[in-house]
Amino acid sequence: MDFFYDSGDEDSDDPLQTALRSIPDKLLPFREHAPSRLRMQQADGPFSAEYARTRHGFFSALVWRGVTFGTAFANDHTNSAVFTSLEDWKESVDACGPQEESYFCDRSAYGMCNPHRTPALVNKYWEATEEHNWEQFVERRIVPFTECYKWLTAGKPTHFYQLGGLAAYLLTCDYVYAGVVARPTISDGCHRAKHKSRCSERLREVGFD
């Protein structure tokens, strides 16, 4: 795998280096340099200017964050990163030939195993993007950070099934880098903090506006 940093001594038996090389999507502290994130940032990825504000771009982003994150499927550059429809997704899966489910979906992508995280979620995401219109939501504006996060996590259960708080937060951040969502403010950060006043004070102390 190619990264924009020195990946260290590949012959080293240091357990930390070994772990970082083996599962960088999960453990690499520089999230923008992780392999599947790099893949999604490319010109044919869902966060490109061409796709970031479209239904199929958003659907593809949901598929990545909700199903394929950290998998061999997501990191294989011969596989599509944008799916124009549910049928397009199915054709991409078929083109991979016989594979174990883990090739497409890591149930422990964000920590503990989630038995409900399966490739079947893709069908639900396509249906959800029809009912909850991303293109109308974002329009041509820069969406406030918390507004986007709340939109992604709305509903009980959430409109975008199994997209938990962490994945929704990360997806919101993805759209910040894509130029669709505004950078988070102190208020946005404190929205998710238990001790709002203390958090605000500490952030201002270190120079954040």
Side-chain angles (χ1 to χ4, degrees):
M1 297 178 182
D2 295 327
F3 303 106
F4 298 149
Y5 68 98
D6 184 350
S7 59
D9 181 2
E10 295 190 1
D11 295 324
S12 171
D13 58 0
D14 177 77
L16 178 57
Q17 287 193 40
T18 300
L20 287 173
R21 283 195 298 270
S22 61
I23 45 176
D25 278 317
K26 293 184 181 181
L27 299 180
L28 192 68
F30 313 105
R31 67 184 294 273
E32 292 304 293
H33 291 177
S36 65
R37 174 68 181 134
L38 286 173
R39 173 72 182 97
M40 295 302 127
Q41 291 182 73
Q42 294 183 350
D44 61 343
F47 302 109
S48 66
E50 182 176 357
Y51 300 119
R53 295 178 182 272
T54 66
R55 177 192 178 184
H56 53 275
F58 176 59
F59 166 65
S60 303
L62 283 173
V63 169
W64 175 57
R65 278 295 178 196
V67 178
T68 67
F69 175 77
T71 63
F73 176 84
N75 291 329
D76 187 338
H77 288 228
T78 64
N79 293 327
S80 297
V82 171
F83 312 102
T84 58
S85 65
L86 185 58
E87 287 305 314
D88 190 24
W89 157 259
K90 292 178 179 178
E91 289 174 5
S92 296
V93 170
D94 290 342
C96 295
Q99 299 287 349
E100 296 291 332
E101 181 187 277
S102 59
Y103 178 78
F104 302 99
C105 181
D106 180 358
R107 296 189 179 192
S108 302
Y110 297 110
M112 295 180 62
C113 178
N114 179 357
H116 302 293
R117 183 184 175 92
T118 72
L121 289 174
V122 175
N123 296 54
K124 294 180 180 292
Y125 289 153
W126 181 251
E127 294 171 0
T129 59
E130 182 174 10
E131 183 176 354
H132 305 283
N133 193 309
W134 173 253
E135 294 179 12
Q136 289 183 1
F137 172 65
V138 298
E139 298 178 321
R140 303 308 303 174
R141 64 189 176 119
I142 302 298
V143 182
F145 190 92
T146 295
E147 182 182 346
C148 182
Y149 175 79
K150 287 183 175 180
W151 189 81
L152 290 172
T153 56
K156 292 185 179 181
T158 57
H159 302 318
F160 306 108
Y161 190 65
Q162 291 298 311
L163 190 74
L166 174 58
Y169 174 80
L170 293 172
L171 184 55
T172 304
C173 292
D174 294 331
Y175 279 111
V176 171
Y177 286 105
V180 175
V181 171
R183 293 176 61 184
T185 63
I186 287 179
S187 177
D188 293 320
C190 291
H191 176 74
R192 292 176 52 79
K194 290 183 178 180
H195 305 292
K196 184 173 181 179
S197 60
R198 176 176 294 182
C199 181
S200 298
E201 291 171 3
R202 294 296 178 266
L203 286 171
R204 289 193 177 94
E205 284 176 5
V206 296
F208 284 90
D209 296 326

